[in-house]
Amino acid sequence: MSTKRTVPRKVTISQIAKEAGVSKTAVSFAFNDPSQLSPATVNHIRAIAERLGYSPDPIARSMTTRRTNALGVLLPLDIAATMANPFFPLFLRGVGAVCGATGMTLMLVPPLWGSMLKAIPHATVDGFIVVGLEIDRGEVQQLRRRRVPFVMVDGNAPEDIPAINVDDRQGARAAMMHILSLGHRRIGIVSLESWHHRYEDFTSTIAARLAGYREGLAEYGRTIDDPDIQMVTVSTSRAGGVEAFTRLWRSESPPTAIVAMSDITALGVLEAAKAHGVRVPDQLSIVGFDDLPEAANAAPPLTTVHQPIEEKGRLAAEMLVAALDDEESEPVHHLLPTELLVRGSTGVPVWSAQPVST
Amino acid sequence: MSTKRTVPRKVTISQIAKEAGVSKTAVSFAFNDPSQLSPATVNHIRAIAERLGYSPDPIARSMTTRRTNALGVLLPLDIAATMANPFFPLFLRGVGAVCGATGMTLMLVPPLWGSMLKAIPHATVDGFIVVGLEIDRGEVQQLRRRRVPFVMVDGNAPEDIPAINVDDRQGARAAMMHILSLGHRRIGIVSLESWHHRYEDFTSTIAARLAGYREGLAEYGRTIDDPDIQMVTVSTSRAGGVEAFTRLWRSESPPTAIVAMSDITALGVLEAAKAHGVRVPDQLSIVGFDDLPEAANAAPPLTTVHQPIEEKGRLAAEMLVAALDDEESEPVHHLLPTELLVRGSTGVPVWSAQPVST
DNA sequence: CTGAAAGCGCTTACAG
DNA sequence: CTGAAAGCGCTTACAG
């Protein structure tokens, strides 16, 4: 509305300087450090910038300041798959809280053409939060090369890299022991697909939870190879849970309890069970992992293992911001606690009136 | 592992050029256009880059290419509040699908120090998807200044800006008429807080849904000012829904039906109703808006208005990418349909055995 | 097949 | 209080 004719292609600091009859330095100061200039000059420059419709180029600015003011979240899966699990939005709430407090922006960095390795050098960010990195195929080296700080969440981090994990093993152990203490013998385990589709290469998270299940079984003199124990592996989604139920339920002797490595799959199991007319927990007990908000609101409320998801995001972002401000900050490894939350989806199996005591 | 001593602070193209005895041009070509160089030179340069642990600077690259390969999603609320509604992750799945297909990254751009206006010039992105922009307080002008393409979703866009909206009015109208056709007379409406907390300035979305409710009421000779119609305004979250139920239920003549402007609040209402021992739909009918995945899985399944959330994200991203590639692309305004989905949370009110016919 | 040079749009000592 | 100049690390015509 204040422009006379169509504004030129792109207004730069030089044009303003020329128009205002001052140096580029002055123009820069007018916006970034007005105290360096006389009020009259500042007003003059700003008026011209306004008239020309000037908008500073953030890239050029970053070029000299060496800052983008963006935090990167490096993802092992594409954005659509990542967002399919409510875990992630919750995690981002934690990260986002720190972004808001520090005036930073949040960049989601999925694999580029299927490769995390390729994505790392391209992202214009000041640092990375690396989530769920499984077996390292050079990603850590690539991140070091980039010479930006990074923190690893739910992964197997080298000693010198800040990291956050939760006590997956302990939580999984408690979940399995809970089921066994109720007297269940025929148990289905719902494991999760590793994103690179190689069964042997478990995520540290998956490996830890599996180890916890094994420990819990061992406490009751059982092993995971017991014929009464069946394990299926599905994608970390509601659909994966539905599939898990279907596969477990059609066996000749279906489980009386299903132990799932994540709430989203447990919820899928619950949904499928109800659709099949299976009563939970009377005919089937279900226990999850994560404690998503929807777990407590399910019908019946889902017994699960709580982990501080949002807190992980916040902590990761705080550690990253600290590393950004202070190159020399000590890399610390956090191990956050998990807690079994017994709700309505687990109970004594129908065929056994009395729970087995520990 | 291939470096001899600690690598220097930051490896640049110049250092490699010097070390390799070639020009910077050659180094650039070795990575971006190897066909310009003899294979021997390429290998030589790459080997040195490898030894030095070179990682190209994405900012410097963007500086000359004028591309960041990042799509920005401009948010009216901070990231934590945005992620509190499952609507958003779903929307991002759509956007993310396009990012994956085009090799772009996704940047979440919340208000900077409380101001969208301030956030716009700083984000290092090639274009914006602007979601839920309410009354324009200069944001559109600021976006134009930036001279990057942008598309508006769920907002009131100028003619020359590409835009996507859904038929909120029609959907809301259908929802209200459904309730009235069942015979309900005492109705609670759950409206949503506008993010700038000025009741008069409705989001176009909120305004359109409200208009739809009014139209539906009018079809039955009713108005929103009818003493039997109560409206409460809460935040777009599950907690907001709980609050809405509490406020509506404590009135001397509580509603027999609650019509909510979003599923997340409707689910909160449902949760609170169940917690109070109120049977749905026998004692209280509930209808939502959005058709989140959890709506169908609620107990009872939520009657709601479907809108194509993921599709909106995909379409918005596609339009933005098109505008990025072709400056001259025609700005089109999409209006996507909505559809009432009658499920288990609505029914005939207890005090009336026969529904009123239309 | 290779190199010298200009340029992208800013910021920031440094000098006056 | 103000300006000339260097520099951030790349890419890209252009010339040879």
Side-chain angles (χ1 to χ4, degrees), chain A residues 22-23 25-26 36-38 41 63-64:
Chain A
V22 297
S23 70
T25 308
Q36 299 286 304
L37 263 34
S38 70
T41 313
M63 183 79 183
T64 60

Side-chain angles (χ1 to χ4, degrees), chain B residues 59-141:
Chain B
I59 292 287
R61 166 181 264 262
S62 292
M63 182 80 181
T64 59
T65 60
R66 313 307 304 159
R67 279 283 199 150
T68 63
N69 280 313
L71 250 47
V73 178
L74 188 63
L75 273 20
L77 286 173
D78 64 77
I79 293 171
T82 301
M83 289 288 170
N85 189 349
F87 172 96
F88 202 73
L90 201 50
F91 178 79
L92 285 187
R93 293 185 64 173
V95 177
V98 178
C99 288
T102 55
M104 302 198 77
T105 230
L106 197 166
M107 184 143 149
L108 264 25
V109 186
L112 181 60
W113 313 130
S115 156
M116 288 180 83
L117 242 31
K118 286 199 187 121
I120 294 168
H122 285 91
T124 53
V125 297
D126 293 332
F128 289 98
I129 293 172
V130 184
V131 8
L133 179 62
E134 302 188 17
I135 304 304
D136 178 13
R137 305 198 183 297
E139 285 81 2
V140 169
Q141 194 198 138

Side-chain angles (χ1 to χ4, degrees), chain B residues 22-23 25-26 36-38 41 63-64:
Chain B
V22 297
S23 69
T25 308
Q36 298 287 305
L37 264 31
S38 71
T41 313
M63 182 80 181
T64 59

Side-chain angles (χ1 to χ4, degrees), chain A residues 213-269:
Chain A
Y213 291 155
R214 285 182 196 274
E215 283 186 24
L217 287 163
E219 290 284 334
Y220 281 77
R222 311 280 304 278
T223 82
I224 211 165
D225 305 316
D226 192 313
D228 276 352
I229 312 280
Q230 296 175 71
M231 184 156 87
V232 297
T233 301
V234 296
S235 72
T236 314
S237 64
R238 198 174 268 268
V242 171
E243 182 195 335
F245 172 84
T246 311
R247 282 165 57 188
L248 289 168
W249 204 249
R250 70 173 173 226
S251 81
E252 62 288 355
S253 58
T256 61
I258 291 181
V259 180
M261 282 197 192
S262 87
D263 276 2
I264 192 75
T265 50
L267 259 11
V269 168

